[in-house]
Amino acid sequence: MGLKNLENFLGNHIEGFFNRRFASALEPAELVRALEQGLLRSKKKVGDEVLLPNDCSLLLGEEDYQRLCAARMLDELYEAADRLVIREDCFLDGKLRIRMEKKEGLTGVEVVCSDTTQETSEQEEPHTLVLERRKFDAPLNLPKKRRIAVLRVLEGPDQDASLVIGESQIYMGRREKNDFLLTDVNASRVHAYIIYERHRHILHDAGSLNGTYVNRKRKDCCCLCHGDEIQMGSTVIAYEVI
């Protein structure tokens, strides 16, 4: 075999080997981007609101499925979807369901999203992992705490204090039992609270003496958006998606 033929032989076979080995080596960040794009492609306008679908399937090739299909990856996708809803100022009705499934011969990832009113059973997590695996003991099946947004004090006696929030209801004010404790004497004991509804954080004034303001406008109830500034007494708090 001549030198040129040897070079061609090695080039073709080595290139083929690496193409077969790494062509579909998806990274977790690529799955997140694919999910976000799939959700946005399927959004729809209903009245004054933009709704995202609540049922998503991510189709993967055999190797990517075996490597990436894990509970931790599903958690990351779930949180990414919740953050997307807030960043895009949309809503998502019902429980979000995310599945990862195998598709023979597929390179890359395909995302199929749809709306469904079908509720998951009480035994299921809000997302579904389609993977043959052993059943975990009961303590490991407890609902996970989601990290979706952060409240950060910009001005006031508690400047630089912060609290990461997810799906749980939180109370804010001077009362010691509040989730976000403020030392501002101009804030009420229970000044405001935040609930998680339709995959959005909703701020409610709790009958405070001085009122609750969002972006300098007094609000009794407000759906929070990334970058909003909440004022309670002399305290200004930024709401930011993580």
Side-chain angles (χ1 to χ4, degrees), residues 42-92:
S42 303
K43 68 182 180 182
K44 63 181 181 180
K45 188 80 177 289
V46 179
D48 295 330
E49 298 178 345
V50 177
L51 299 181
L52 295 184
N54 66 347
D55 191 285
C56 298
S57 295
L58 282 76
L59 308 181
L60 306 172
E62 175 74 30
E63 292 184 8
D64 288 327
Y65 175 84
Q66 295 297 339
R67 183 168 50 85
L68 295 172
C69 193
R72 183 175 179 179
M73 185 70 244
L74 265 294
D75 289 337
E76 187 174 339
L77 291 170
Y78 188 91
E79 291 183 357
D82 278 338
R83 293 166 186 161
L84 179 70
V85 174
I86 301 170
R87 287 200 308 269
E88 296 294 326
D89 195 13
C90 300
F91 292 91
L92 193 154

Side-chain angles (χ1 to χ4, degrees), residues 9-237:
F9 174 83
L10 292 175
N12 290 336
H13 283 74
I14 291 175
E15 182 179 0
F17 168 78
F18 279 99
N19 285 341
R20 290 190 299 273
R21 179 64 182 86
F22 298 110
S24 62
L26 285 170
E27 297 296 330
E30 293 179 274
L31 288 190
V32 170
R33 286 195 298 269
L35 174 64
E36 291 175 339
Q37 292 168 1
L39 286 167
L40 291 176
R41 280 196 304 269
S42 303
K43 68 182 180 182
K44 63 181 181 180
K45 188 80 177 289
V46 179
D48 295 330
E49 298 178 345
V50 177
L51 299 181
L52 295 184
N54 66 347
D55 191 285
C56 298
S57 295
L58 282 76
L59 308 181
L60 306 172
E62 175 74 30
E63 292 184 8
D64 288 327
Y65 175 84
Q66 295 297 339
R67 183 168 50 85
L68 295 172
C69 193
R72 183 175 179 179
M73 185 70 244
L74 265 294
D75 289 337
E76 187 174 339
L77 291 170
Y78 188 91
E79 291 183 357
D82 278 338
R83 293 166 186 161
L84 179 70
V85 174
I86 301 170
R87 287 200 308 269
E88 296 294 326
D89 195 13
C90 300
F91 292 91
L92 193 154
D93 289 324
K95 292 182 179 180
L96 176 62
R97 181 182 173 99
I98 299 176
R99 295 180 297 277
M100 298 176 70
E101 302 176 3
K102 288 183 287 188
K103 183 175 180 180
E104 187 176 351
L106 178 64
T107 298
V109 56
E110 293 181 8
V111 180
V112 180
C113 295
S114 62
D115 287 311
T116 175
T117 57
Q118 182 180 357
E119 294 289 336
T120 56
S121 67
E122 294 181 359
Q123 288 75 27
E124 288 181 317
E125 284 282 337
H127 56 259
T128 300
L129 181 65
V130 183
L131 176 67
E132 297 79 10
R133 59 189 176 96
R134 67 180 181 85
K135 292 184 177 180
F136 294 116
D137 294 331
L140 296 181
N141 282 330
L142 295 175
K144 295 179 174 60
K145 292 184 178 181
R146 310 294 175 195
R147 295 168 52 88
I148 300 171
V150 61
L151 299 172
R152 196 184 318 277
V153 178
L154 302 179
E155 300 176 19
D158 304 295
Q159 188 171 359
D160 296 330
S162 64
L163 176 69
V164 174
I165 61 176
E167 300 170 345
S168 300
Q169 182 167 323
I170 68 158
Y171 291 89
M172 300 180 288
R174 291 188 292 105
R175 188 184 64 173
E176 289 187 4
K177 292 183 179 180
N178 285 326
D179 303 282
F180 200 174
L181 176 62
L182 301 176
T183 60
D184 185 352
V185 296
N186 294 312
S188 297
R189 284 177 52 79
V190 180
H191 196 107
Y193 61 94
I194 294 176
I195 65 173
Y196 191 67
E197 188 174 88
R198 301 178 70 197
H199 296 260
R200 296 296 299 270
H201 288 117
I202 313 296
L203 173 71
H204 291 266
D205 180 77
S208 64
L209 179 63
N210 295 320
T212 300
Y213 294 77
V214 178
N215 301 328
R216 300 185 179 180
K217 295 181 180 180
R218 187 162 182 163
K219 299 285 186 179
D220 292 327
C221 178
C222 180
C223 180
L224 294 173
C225 296
H226 175 70
D228 280 349
E229 292 188 358
I230 304 164
Q231 183 171 353
M232 296 181 290
S234 303
T235 300
V236 178
I237 301 172

